[in-house]
Amino acid sequence: MCGIIGVIGNAPVTPSLVEALKRLEYRGYDSAGVATLVNGHIERRRTEGKLVNLEARLAKDPLPGTIGIGHTRWATHGKPSERNAHPIATDQVAIVHNGIIENFQELKNELVAEGRRFDSDTDTEVVAQLLTSNLERQMSPQQAMGKAMERLRGAFALVALFTGRHDILMGARRGSSLAVGHGDGEMYIGTDALALAPFTKRVTYLEDDDWVVLTAKGATIYQGQTEVKREVRQSGISGAMMGKGNHRHFMLKEIHEQPSVIGDTLQTYLEPATRLVTLPALPCDWTKVSRLTMTACGTAFYACMVAKYWFERLARLPVDIEVASELRYREPPMSENGVCIAVSQSGETVDTLAALRYAKAQKQTILSVVNVPESAIARESHAVLPTLAGPEIGVASTKAFTTQLTVLLAAAIGAGRARRNLSREEEMRLAGALIELPAHINAAIGMEEQFRWIGQEILADARDVLYIGRGSSFPIALEGALKLKEISYIHAEGYAGGEMKHGPIALIDEMVPVVVVAPSDAVFDKIASNFEQVKARGGKLVLLSDAEGVSRLGSQAAASIILPRVEPAVAPILYTVPVQLLAYYTAVAKGTDVDQPRNLAKSVTVE
Ligand code: G6P
């Protein structure tokens, strides 16, 4: 969703603003813009669509200035258009904003009654108008910002540029993330460390309700009227991590990175010599935990679904799972000694954060599985189990999902051991299977040509595709369908194989491919029956299995992929890779925008 950057220094800033916006493209957006001060006046360039449009506008109509702000907008209030693109400005102030001002209508009514004229359909404009109204009441920019913060409701991150003030940029956050970058004679403010990576590794993460005054030499941070100190941290993100390498898309690069990032994650959670799980110190005693609640959104929710099978089977722990956007409003009673695990790549997803806060208010111990350790979800948890996936740029999650699964399986093994449900031999066997996993994933990636062929010849022309799986392969069927619809725009549904006969089988004909996720495991015979039922109705089957499964069913499939035979507990992690590659090559065959699919955002910071 929206990305923010601000730069204050002594050299022209527009190239830096555009460079940072490129780093924020991954979040998803539909318009973009920059504003600087030119001879003390706010000057803007804004365009609908991708950054190339903004670059073309800037080439025609360059924007000088040594202080400026930039924005990529994912439309919420008001359609994507130049008029609604940020920076939103009055003659006094220009604003870039991420989030939603929930009381914007009430504020707008007041401001209109004051005689102010609005030029856009955005909620953001109330902030610009409110600041302007405060400035016209002879407040300083600092006073104007402090007062405005008192009036705003909702989650937001803001950066403001003031007419005639080459010496300051101001930022504020509540809910949405905002970070200050410390340079040498130049200071930066942006959505995250990725946006700041081209300029500096020295980063200060602002806390909720902080507001900040930046000069070219430093930053002063306030809460209300009180100055506060925040740590300057060294960001681990390097410029090199942000490139596509030799790959055509970030998504493909990130699929290929899975063996190495799963290996890195395992180094943190497993002791290879003893084959024992090594979890960080957790603020919960698994023997006393009465119930586990897991919550997340999108792909991360499917990680919770898989983990439910693991925690139930390996730790004999009752598990509730629910998408965060429902959990947060359902107000379920939660048991004493309960643990809640929030799973999120970005650690920023607003619904997941709200569900976490609800569980915390219900006195649950909060653990989070996140990829961004400085994120709000990480900071509000009692303990963090980090995934070591590195920055994920493709909007469709790949390596973040498989590392989430890896961490959750290690956690379920740890809980199983603590609850004396797993013998040492079993733990060693499971740990051994995890250790071998990167090699098996490599083997799956090595079959890329076959995925390309299936994508091009079987899936790309379909109008609908079904994915089926049973047991812990069911969430992988859901993830396969989600990946396909996200990036190829083909309608796809995931189903538990046993549910086919309760509805979806009515759709089966030779035009509807059915992808069957079927490792040889305890429910293989059951999924084999579902396979036969589809075949009997003329369905076009794509079988994902191991040599044994393919030898039983492969002759009846339109295409089969033979994956390495693995311990069933790790199969969901391995079988994710083929569904990723099927979606990827289908999207490539269709020529869609793989890394930035239409309407989707990477970090969902609004409800
Ligand atoms: C968006 C992304 C998905 C992601 C979901 C949850 O929908 O496009 O890839 O799974 O948000 O994001 P999170 O950062 O909380 O994992």
Side-chain angles (χ1 to χ4, degrees):
M1 294 204 159
C2 303
I4 287 178
I5 183 69
V7 181
I8 175 166
N10 299 306
V13 289
T14 301
S16 300
L17 295 174
V18 173
E19 175 66 23
L21 292 182
K22 287 184 180 164
R23 307 301 171 117
L24 289 165
E25 279 194 292
Y26 78 97
R27 295 170 68 84
Y29 69 107
D30 33 45
S31 59
V34 289
T36 62
L37 282 187
V38 182
N39 300 323
H41 297 289
I42 293 166
E43 285 270 350
R44 291 182 288 173
R45 305 286 181 268
R46 299 177 296 164
T47 48
E48 201 184 319
K50 296 291 181 195
L51 278 179
V52 283
N53 300 350
L54 182 65
E55 288 184 284
R57 173 73 56 83
L58 286 165
K60 256 199 259 150
D61 199 359
L63 196 57
T66 58
I67 177 171
I69 57 182
H71 192 259
T72 46
R73 172 172 188 254
W74 189 85
T76 60
H77 294 65
K79 64 178 186 180
S81 63
E82 183 170 334
R83 182 169 163 264
N84 290 329
H86 299 206
I88 296 289
T90 66
D91 59 349
Q92 295 291 314
V93 65
I95 298 283
V96 286
H97 166 220
N98 173 22
I100 288 182
I101 308 298
E102 284 172 0
N103 57 338
F104 88 97
Q105 196 57 55
E106 171 196 330
L107 293 172
K108 188 169 178 176
N109 294 346
E110 276 177 34
L111 290 157
V112 168
E114 261 181 37
R116 307 211 153 265
R117 231 198 57 234
F118 280 69
D119 288 331
S120 76
D121 312 312
T122 63
D123 55 332
T124 306
E125 191 168 353
V126 297
V127 186
Q129 297 281 4
L130 189 59
L131 284 170
T132 307
S133 167
N134 291 346
L135 291 166
E136 287 177 2
R137 294 193 168 106
Q138 308 309 318
M139 291 184 203
S140 66
Q142 288 86 333
Q143 289 166 326
M145 180 63 90
K147 273 269 171 251
M149 288 280 285
E150 289 170 15
R151 296 296 319 275
L152 302 178
R153 286 210 309 270
F156 53 81
L158 296 164
V159 178
L161 172 73
F162 297 90
T163 295
R165 296 299 304 263
H166 288 265
D167 55 333
I168 56 165
L169 261 188
M170 291 184 60
R173 72 153 279 186
R174 182 178 299 154
S176 309
S177 66
L178 197 60
V180 171
H182 302 260
D184 199 6
E186 200 164 64
M187 290 289 289
Y188 316 91
I189 184 162
T191 299
D192 56 24
L194 295 182
L196 306 176
F199 318 119
T200 181
K201 287 190 162 193
R202 297 175 57 230
V203 173
T204 299
Y205 295 92
L206 297 182
E207 308 258 331
D208 259 357
D209 285 317
D210 280 357
W211 56 279
V212 60
V213 181
L214 293 187
T215 67
K217 293 206 181 101
T220 317
I221 304 172
Y222 301 87
Q223 277 261 322
Q225 297 311 313
T226 315
E227 190 180 328
V228 289
K229 292 279 168 236
R230 303 278 178 240
E231 202 185 324
V232 180
R233 303 195 205 174
Q234 200 69 16
S235 150
I237 295 166
S238 74
M241 279 164 141
M242 306 286 303
K244 281 187 213 162
N246 296 324
H247 299 283
R248 183 165 161 200
H249 295 103
F250 280 108
M251 183 179 176
L252 189 61
K253 175 187 172 225
E254 289 160 4
I255 290 171
H256 277 249
E257 280 173 353
Q258 291 177 112
S260 86
V261 295
I262 289 173
D264 293 347
T265 305
L266 286 174
Q267 281 199 351
T268 304
Y269 293 94
L270 277 187
E271 180 55 62
T274 57
R275 300 206 159 191
L276 287 178
V277 161
T278 49
L279 295 179
L282 295 178
C284 60
D285 175 351
W286 287 115
T287 59
K288 300 212 169 76
V289 174
S290 56
R291 205 166 190 89
L292 179 59
T293 306
M294 302 188 69
T295 191
C297 299
T299 288
F301 176 68
Y302 296 146
C304 299
M305 261 182 106
V306 176
K308 178 177 165 75
Y309 290 84
W310 289 331
F311 276 99
E312 286 176 348
R313 183 162 302 162
L314 304 177
R316 301 301 298 154
L317 196 55
V319 184
D320 293 321
I321 51 168
E322 189 155 15
V323 287
S325 53
E326 289 300 318
L327 176 64
R328 64 179 293 192
Y329 292 115
R330 204 163 50 81
E331 301 185 10
M334 291 184 161
S335 43
E336 225 178 291
N337 288 326
V339 167
C340 174
I341 304 185
V343 182
S344 174
Q345 187 285 126
S346 61
E348 256 195 79
T349 303
V350 74
D351 285 322
T352 309
L353 183 59
L356 174 161
R357 287 176 178 162
Y358 174 79
K360 208 171 185 182
Q362 296 288 308
K363 305 208 172 356
Q364 306 295 289
T365 301
I366 310 293
L367 310 181
S368 60
V369 175
V370 292
N371 198 37
V372 181
E374 307 81 12
S375 61
I377 289 175
R379 281 183 294 147
E380 295 197 21
S381 304
H382 295 119
V384 178
L385 297 168
T387 49
L388 284 93
E392 189 179 69
I393 306 296
V395 164
S397 185
T398 53
K399 61 177 181 168
F401 178 62
T402 48
T403 52
Q404 284 161 357
L405 290 176
T406 305
V407 170
L408 287 165
L409 178 52
I413 296 170
R417 177 177 67 206
R419 290 167 70 86
R420 301 195 194 292
N421 194 57
L422 275 185
S423 65
R424 186 177 168 136
E425 290 65 42
E426 275 171 292
E427 179 172 354
M428 286 170 71
R429 192 173 50 76
L430 291 167
L434 271 169
I435 291 167
E436 286 167 11
L437 193 57
H440 292 319
I441 290 180
N442 242 332
I445 292 172
M447 297 173 210
E448 239 165 333
E449 270 316 305
Q450 295 176 59
F451 296 112
R452 189 199 305 272
W453 184 86
I454 298 171
Q456 207 165 296
E457 303 299 324
I458 299 183
L459 301 181
D461 292 330
R463 210 189 60 185
D464 309 285
V465 179
L466 291 179
Y467 286 70
I468 59 171
R470 298 188 76 135
S472 56
S473 298
F474 166 41
I476 305 311
L478 292 168
E479 170 63 3
L482 177 65
K483 281 293 86 96
L484 190 75
K485 71 181 112 174
E486 277 183 310
I487 62 170
S488 75
Y489 313 145
I490 295 173
H491 169 244
E493 298 294 339
Y495 264 92
E499 279 291 294
M500 280 292 284
K501 53 191 172 297
H502 298 292
I505 203 156
L507 300 176
I508 300 299
D509 62 23
E510 61 286 356
M511 303 308 289
V512 181
V514 180
V515 179
V516 185
V517 185
S520 292
D521 60 13
V523 287
F524 182 83
D525 288 342
K526 309 291 167 198
I527 194 84
S529 305
N530 305 136
F531 181 101
E532 302 285 358
Q533 290 154 7
V534 173
K535 185 71 205 166
R537 285 154 184 89
K540 202 189 277 178
L541 287 144
V542 174
L543 176 64
L544 308 177
S545 189
D546 43 39
E548 198 179 316
V550 172
S551 76
R552 277 186 57 185
L553 298 172
S555 61
Q556 301 179 65
S560 301
I561 295 285
I562 304 177
L563 293 156
R565 172 109 195 228
V566 291
E567 146 64 43
V570 304
I573 313 179
L574 173 64
Y575 279 68
T576 298
V577 177
V579 299
Q580 294 169 343
L581 286 166
L582 285 179
Y584 175 77
Y585 282 111
T586 307
V588 167
K590 293 199 73 181
T592 53
D593 188 348
V594 170
D595 285 331
Q596 290 164 41
R598 68 183 179 210
N599 303 337
L600 293 180
K602 181 88 186 141
S603 299
V604 182
T605 49
V606 299
E607 279 193 56

